[in-house]
C-alpha cells in the first residue's frame, strides 16, 4: 500500500516530468524559430533561444516570482508565434502571456504587439571595436549572441595595439575564457594567416594600429561604420573626432563619461535625444547607467528632493594589484587587499541624462576586493513620501515587470542575495527589496549591478539606436 509520503513523491516526480517535457518543447520550438526566421524568443527578458532546459526552468521560476503567468500560457503564445509569419524580431512570450488574462487569445495578443512594435531598418550596420579589454570582449560576446539576426550590429573588426608575436592567439584565449563570466558560448578560432578571429563562424578582422588616423577601414570592406571606442583614451570631442577622420567611419560611441560638450546617453532615460545627425555620443559610466533609470522612475513617482549615492564598487584594471605609484589618490594601494575610498562622477553625470536632478545629488565610491558586481546605495529625500517600505518595494516590483523598464531594472526580495548572484546580469541594476528602509520622506535603497555585463548591454542598446537598426521587439 502506498503511503502519503510515497504518493507525494510520485506526484511531484510526474509533475516534474511533465514540466521538463514542456520546457523541452519550448526550447525546440524557439530554436527552430531562430534558425528559420531569425526570431529570438525570451521569457521575461531571460533568453530561451540557444539556451538549455535548466536555464529556462530558472527563468520560469523567476517569472513566477514576478507574475502569475503559467507555463501553459507562455506555450500558447509560442504556438501562435510559430503559426504566424513573424520574422526578424525579438519576442518575449512571458510578457505577451500576461495579456491573455485580459480575455484575448494568443493570436490576437501577437497581432496587437506587432502593431505596437517599432520597425528597424533593413540590413545591418558595420561595427568596429576600438579596444579589446574587459568591455570590448563582453561587447563581442553580446553581439555574437544576436549574430543570427539579419538586422542589427555586424561586428566586422577590432582595433588593438600589437604587444607581442603571439598577440592574436592571446586575445582569442582571453575572449574564449573569462575568470568572471566563464567560457565563451560557442567556438573561437585564431586565423593567424589573415589576422582575424573566427567566432561562431563569424569573421572578425583584427587591425593593429596606434592611432585612429592610421586606419583605412574601406580596404577591409567596412563602410559607414559605427566605432565603439572602449579604450577611454579619448573622451572629449576633439580626441574622439580622430575616428571620424578614418575612411569608412560614420559615427563614434564612447564607453566612458565624456568630457566637454557631448551627449551622455543612458538608454531608456534620454536615448530619444539621439538624432541622425549625432556623430559622437557617450554611453556614460557603468554606475551612471545603474542608478539613473531607478532615479528616473522614483523621481516621477515621488519627486527626488535631494540625495547621496554611495557606490560599493568592485576593483578595476586602473588600480594596482600591489602598492605602487598611481596618479590618483589611494588607487595605488593593493586593490585585492583594501577597501579604497575614491571619487565618482556618477552623481553629477546623472544630471546630463536626467536634468531634473541637476544639483540634487552628491556621490562617493568605495572600491572593494571583488572582481565584478557592484552595489549602489541611494539615500534619497522625497517630495512625496511613500507610506512605508512595502509600498515603495511594490512600486519598484511593478516597474521591474513593466515592458518599459524590465531591461534596465530587475527586482529581488531574496533573503540571501549577495553580489555573485548577479554576475553576467544584463539589467543595469537589480533592486534589493529586503534592504529597503523608509522613514518619513527619507529612503535608503540598494541596487546591485554587474558593472561589466549590465553596462555593456546598455552600450549596445545605445549603439543600436545610433545605427537605426533596433530589431522589433514584441512584449
Amino acid at each position: 500500500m502506498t503511503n502519503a509520503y510515497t504518493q507525494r513523491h510520485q506526484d511531484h516526480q510526474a509533475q516534474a516530468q511533465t514540466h521538463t517535457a514542456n520546457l523541452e518543447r519550448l526550447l525546440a520550438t524557439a530554436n527552430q524559430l531562430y534558425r528559420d526566421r531569425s526570431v529570438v524568443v525570451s521569457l521575461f527578458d531571460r533568453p530561451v533561444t540557444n539556451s538549455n532546459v535548466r536555464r529556462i526552468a530558472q527563468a520560469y521560476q523567476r517569472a513566477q516570482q514576478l507574475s502569475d503567468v503559467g507555463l501553459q500560457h507562455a506555450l500558447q503564445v509560442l504556438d501562435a508565434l510559430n503559426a504566424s509569419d513573424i520574422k526578424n524580431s525579438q519576442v518575449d512570450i512571458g510578457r505577451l502571456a500576461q495579456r491573455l488574462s485580459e480575455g484575448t487569445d494568443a493570436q490576437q495578443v501577437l497581432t496587437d504587439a506587432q502593431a505596437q512594435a517599432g520597425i528597424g531598418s533593413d540590413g545591418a550596420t558595420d561595427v568596429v571595436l576600438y579596444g579589446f579589454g574587459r568591455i570590448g570582449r563582453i561587447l563581442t560576446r553580446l553581439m555574437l549572441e544576436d549574430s543570427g539576426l539579419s538586422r542589427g550590429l555586424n561586428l566586422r573588426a577590432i582595433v588593438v595595439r600589437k604587444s607581442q608575436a603571439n598577440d592574436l592567439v592571446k586575445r582569442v584565449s582571453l575572449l574564449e575564457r573569462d575568470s568572471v563570466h566563464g567560457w565563451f558560448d560557442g567556438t573561437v578560432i585564431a586565423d593567424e594567416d589573415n589576422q582575424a578571429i573566427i567566432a561562431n563562424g563569424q569573421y572578425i578582422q583584427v587591425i593593429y594600429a596606434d592611432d585612429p588616423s592610421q586606419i583605412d577601414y574601406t580596404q577591409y570592406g567596412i563602410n559607414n561604420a559605427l566605432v565603439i571606442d572602449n579604450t577611454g583614451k579619448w573622451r572629449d570631442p576633439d580626441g574622439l573626432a580622430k575616428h571620424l577622420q578614418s575612411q569608412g567611419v560614420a559615427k563614434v560611441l564612447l564607453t566612458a563619461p565624456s568630457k566637454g560638450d557631448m551627449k551622455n546617453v543612458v538608454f531608456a532615460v534620454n536615448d530619444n535625444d539621439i538624432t541622425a545627425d549625432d556623430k559622437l555620443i557617450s554611453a556614460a559610466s557603468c554606475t551612471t547607467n545603474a542608478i539613473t533609470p531607478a532615479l528616473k522612475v522614483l523621481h516621477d513617482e515621488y519627486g527626488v528632493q535631494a540625495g547621496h549615492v554611495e557606490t560599493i564598487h568592485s576593483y578595476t584594471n586602473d588600480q594596482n594589484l600591489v602598492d605602487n605609484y598611481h596618479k590618483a589618490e589611494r588607487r595605488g594601494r593593493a586593490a585585492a587587499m583594501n577597501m579604497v575610498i575614491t571619487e565618482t562622477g556618477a552623481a553629477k553625470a546623472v544630471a546630463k541624462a536626467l536634468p531634473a536632478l541637476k544639483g540634487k545629488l552628491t556621490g562617493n565610491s568605495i572600491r572593494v576586493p571583488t572582481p565584478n558586481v557592484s552595489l549602489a546605495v541611494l539615500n534619497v529625500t522625497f517630495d512625496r513620501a511613500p507610506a512605508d517600505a512595502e509600498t515603495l518595494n511594490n512600486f519598484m516590483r511593478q516597474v521591474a515587470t513593466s515592458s518599459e523598464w524590465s531591461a534596465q531594472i530587475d527586482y529581488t526580495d531574496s533573503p540571501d542575495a549577495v553580489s555573485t548572484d548577479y554576475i553576467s546580469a544584463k539589467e543595469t541594476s537589480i533592486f534589493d527589496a529586503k534592504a529597503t528602509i523608509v522613514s518619513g520622506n527619507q529612503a535608503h535603497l540598494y541596487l546591485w549591478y554587474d558593472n561589466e555585463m549590465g553596462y555593456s548591454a546598455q552600450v549596445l542598446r545605445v549603439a543600436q539606436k545610433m545605427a537605426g537598426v533596433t530589431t522589433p521587439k514584441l512584449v
Side-chain angles (χ1 to χ4, degrees), residues 3 10 22 50 57 148 154 178 197 216 228 239 245 250 258 278 288-289 297 307 337 346 372 387 419 465:
N3 63 31
Q10 292 174 347
N22 284 331
N50 292 334
N154 186 16
D178 190 283
I197 296 173
D216 178 359
I228 303 179
Q245 297 170 13
S258 68
D278 286 323
T288 304
N289 275 269
V297 298
M337 293 179 65
N372 187 39
S419 62
K465 190 69 174 278

Side-chain angles (χ1 to χ4, degrees), residues 17 28 32 57 72 115 121 160 175 235 307 323 359 363 371 449:
Q17 290 173 344
Q32 190 70 41
Q72 290 300 326
S121 62
V160 292
L175 175 61
R235 294 170 57 185
D323 288 359
Y449 60 107

Side-chain angles (χ1 to χ4, degrees), residues 129-150:
L129 289 177
Y130 200 95
F132 203 55
R134 296 299 302 156
I135 298 301
R137 292 194 296 273
I138 293 170
L139 288 171
T140 299
R141 288 185 173 213
L142 289 173
M143 277 188 276
L144 290 174
E145 284 181 7
D146 291 335
S147 59
L149 292 173
S150 59

Side-chain angles (χ1 to χ4, degrees), residues 7-47:
Q7 186 62 53
R8 281 198 291 269
H9 174 77
Q10 292 174 347
D11 289 346
H12 279 280
Q13 193 171 40
Q15 290 172 11
Q17 290 173 344
T18 300
H19 187 64
T20 299
N22 284 331
L23 293 174
E24 289 173 345
R25 181 165 79 84
L26 191 155
L27 177 61
T29 305
N31 286 342
Q32 190 70 41
L33 284 165
Y34 181 71
R35 288 193 298 271
D36 295 347
R37 286 152 44 188
S38 294
V39 173
V40 176
V41 176
S42 60
L43 183 68
F44 284 92
D45 297 302
R46 294 295 192 271

